[in-house]
Amino acid sequence: MILINLLPHRELARKRRKELFNIGLGASALMGGLLAGTMFLSLQAQISSKKDINQILQTDIAKFDAQIKDIAGLEAEIAALRARQQAVEDLQSDRNLPVHLLTELVRQLPDGVFISSMRQEGQSLELKGVAQSNERVSELLRNLANNSPWFTKPDLVEIVAGSVTLAPRDVRRVSNFNIKVKLLRASDVEKAQAAAPGAAASVPPAAAASAVTKG
């Protein structure tokens, strides 16, 4: 006996395939949604963790900034104390500075050079005097620059020709000069001598004079 299927099997198969496709599409969408939700939650957790870490870092940075300010204040106080200590040490070491000044000046004056006035402002010394010639003034400048640890950077401000009357008929030509030179502190001299241990130390005697002349 021959059986003939009169039902629309092609339509049923198409409908079944369509239902399977829709089910697969829904399952894929559901899996995609679950995967996207999982990734979103993971990213949110990471962002929240990073925010917490950033907050902790900002708190620590604020603490460190406060500590740095405190350290800077302490360093400023230490620097001020050191400056005061150095000022006290300079005052103590400068007590004998006039003795060193007069003694060294007598040592460095060449023959034929006379100091008529001397003025000190801080560590700057101004010398005015008379020399028998310009060569004597040049020799004095060399002595102040090279032969004494107490003087440095001599500068010839001016030199003017003049004359001196020694007797009614004895008039001599002279050179009136003005020299500025820097007087070093005792601490600076000690540092220079310590840096050059082979150099001969200058130990001036404790002597002073009211007038400085050498001729």
Side-chain angles (χ1 to χ4, degrees):
M1 182 178 182
I2 300 174
L3 298 176
I4 299 174
N5 187 5
L6 299 177
L7 296 175
H9 61 90
R10 291 191 179 88
E11 291 295 332
L12 292 175
R14 189 179 299 113
K15 184 178 180 181
R16 191 177 296 109
R17 288 195 299 270
K18 187 176 182 180
E19 290 175 354
L20 291 175
F21 176 77
N22 290 333
I23 292 172
L25 185 62
S28 299
L30 180 61
M31 292 296 296
L34 292 174
L35 182 60
T38 303
M39 293 180 63
F40 176 78
L41 293 176
S42 176
L43 290 175
Q44 286 295 111
Q46 293 180 7
I47 292 173
S48 178
S49 176
K50 295 295 183 183
K51 287 182 178 179
D52 293 339
I53 293 175
N54 289 337
Q55 184 64 34
I56 294 173
L57 290 176
Q58 289 177 358
T59 303
D60 292 340
I61 290 172
K63 292 180 180 179
F64 288 143
D65 288 340
Q67 293 176 359
I68 289 172
K69 290 181 180 179
D70 293 339
I71 293 173
L74 291 176
E75 289 179 348
E77 292 179 3
I78 292 173
L81 290 175
R82 288 178 177 174
R84 293 173 187 171
Q85 181 182 2
Q86 185 63 42
V88 173
E89 291 177 355
D90 290 339
L91 289 174
Q92 291 178 348
S93 62
D94 289 347
R95 288 182 300 178
N96 296 327
L97 199 57
V99 176
H100 299 320
L101 167 62
L102 296 176
T103 304
E104 279 297 303
L105 195 56
V106 170
R107 287 183 175 184
Q108 304 307 327
L109 280 180
D111 294 336
V113 178
F114 303 86
I115 299 297
S116 59
S117 68
M118 177 172 55
R119 185 178 65 177
Q120 180 182 359
E121 292 183 1
Q123 300 306 116
S124 179
L125 184 66
E126 182 180 15
L127 302 175
K128 293 183 179 180
V130 180
Q132 292 179 351
S133 63
N134 292 346
E135 288 75 13
R136 301 289 187 182
V137 179
S138 299
E139 184 179 355
L140 174 60
L141 289 171
R142 288 193 298 270
N143 291 345
L144 294 176
N146 303 321
N147 296 341
S148 174
W150 295 94
F151 297 112
T152 184
K153 297 180 181 179
D155 180 30
L156 179 61
V157 179
E158 67 175 355
I159 183 169
V160 180
S163 60
V164 174
T165 302
L166 301 179
R169 296 184 180 181
D170 187 4
V171 179
R172 298 185 181 182
R173 302 284 295 179
V174 296
S175 298
N176 300 309
F177 63 85
N178 184 356
I179 294 176
K180 287 186 177 181
V181 63
K182 183 179 179 182
L183 180 63
L184 296 179
R185 295 183 180 276
S187 58
D188 296 332
V189 175
E190 292 175 358
K191 291 178 183 178
Q193 292 176 349
S202 174
V203 183
S210 57
V212 181
T213 59
K214 187 175 180 181

